[in-house]
Amino acid sequence: VFLLTAYVSIAAVVLICAYLLGNGIPTIREIGLGNFFGKTWKPSKDLYGIVPMIIGSIYVTAGANVIGVPIGLLTAIYMARFCPKWLYRVVKPAVDLMAGIPSIVYGFFGMVVIAPTVLSVAKFFGAGISSGATILSASILLGIMILPTIIGVSEAALRAVPNAYYEGAVAMGATHERAVFSVMLPAAKSGVLAGIVLGIGRAVGETMAVIMIAGNQTAMPTSLLKGVRTLTANIVLE
C-alpha cells in the first residue's frame, strides 16, 4: 500500500509535466520560438514574448528569498534552541496561524499597508513613482508569506537533531550560541534546505497576492520600484 501511494505521487508529477509539455510544445511551434522568447507581450498583435514575465518572476522570487530566508531561519533557530517555554506557547501558534491565512488576505494587506508605505518612502527619497505596486512591494509581501513554511520545516529539522550533539559541543567548551550555530545547524542542514526550497516554491507559485500588489506591467523590469507581471499572474490575467 505504501509503495502504491508513493507511485501515485510520482505519477501525478509526471502527468502534470506531460500535460504541460504536450500542450506547450505545439503552441511554441505555432507562434515561433523567437516570438515566444521575445520581449513584447501583445496577444492582439500576435506577440507572445514571455521574457518580461520570466525576469519579473525571478526578481520577485529572489527579493522574497532575500527577505524571508534569513528572517525565517533565524526565527526557527530561536524557537528551537533559545525561546523560553512560556513565549514558545505564544509564538508557535502565531506562526502556524500565518500559514492558514488565505493569499487574498495577504494581498489586501499588501495593497493597504505595504504598497502605500513603499510609495511614501520612495517619494521621501526622491524617487519619481506614482504607485507603490512594485517589485519591492511584492518581494516584501512574498517574504512574509513564505515565513511559516521556512520556520516550520527548519524548526522541525533542528529539533530532530539528537541532543547529544549539543551536549558534546558544550562539554568540549563551546558556548550555547557556538554549539547551536556550529554543530546543531550544520547537522540539520538537509531539513533546513528542504524548508528553504519549499519556501521558494511558494514564492514562485503565488498568484493572487502578487496580482494585487505587483503592478501587472508587461514591460521589462528595470528597477525594484517598477511594476511587473509574473508568469503565474499572466496565466490568470490572460
Side-chain angles (χ1 to χ4, degrees):
V1 171
F2 294 144
L3 182 63
L4 177 62
T5 56
Y7 282 144
V8 169
S9 300
I10 296 172
V13 177
V14 172
L15 287 172
I16 291 172
C17 293
Y19 175 82
L20 292 175
L21 288 173
N23 287 272
I25 291 176
T27 303
I28 295 173
R29 187 185 300 117
E30 176 72 21
I31 67 176
L33 195 63
N35 187 356
F36 185 69
F37 288 104
K39 296 183 179 180
T40 303
W41 177 268
K42 290 183 178 179
S44 60
K45 297 183 178 180
D46 290 331
L47 296 174
Y48 301 96
I50 66 167
V51 170
M53 276 75 81
I54 293 176
I55 300 300
S57 298
I58 292 173
Y59 281 3
V60 170
T61 303
N65 291 330
V66 168
I67 295 169
V69 170
I71 296 175
L73 181 56
L74 292 174
T75 302
I77 294 171
Y78 176 75
M79 291 174 64
R81 306 301 307 187
F82 291 90
C83 187
K85 290 184 178 179
W86 65 268
L87 181 58
Y88 183 83
R89 289 194 292 267
V90 176
V91 175
K92 179 62 174 176
V95 172
D96 293 339
L97 182 62
M98 286 181 64
I101 298 176
S103 299
I104 192 74
V105 176
Y106 277 111
F108 182 72
F109 173 78
M111 286 179 60
V112 300
V113 177
I114 297 177
T117 302
V118 168
L119 179 61
S120 299
V121 173
K123 285 187 174 181
F124 177 80
F125 286 101
I129 61 174
S130 58
S131 172
T134 62
I135 295 175
L136 180 59
S137 301
S139 297
I140 294 172
L141 181 62
L142 281 182
I144 295 172
M145 293 180 70
I146 67 176
L147 285 177
T149 302
I150 296 176
I151 293 171
V153 178
S154 299
E155 185 200 352
L158 287 165
R159 290 189 179 274
V161 177
N163 203 48
Y165 286 33
Y166 172 80
E167 294 171 351
V170 173
M172 295 178 67
T175 62
H176 176 59
E177 290 77 11
R178 189 173 182 83
V180 170
F181 284 94
S182 299
V183 178
M184 303 296 286
L185 185 58
K189 179 173 63 176
S190 61
V192 170
L193 288 176
I196 293 173
V197 169
L198 289 172
I200 293 173
R202 166 132 201 219
V204 171
E206 183 54 49
T207 305
M208 186 54 65
V210 174
I211 288 176
M212 298 174 69
I213 197 175
N216 300 318
Q217 299 175 17
T218 58
M220 287 289 291
T222 57
S223 166
L224 290 177
L225 296 178
K226 297 293 185 180
V228 71
R229 181 186 291 186
T230 63
L231 283 169
T232 52
N234 198 57
I235 292 172
V236 173
L237 293 174
E238 298 290 347

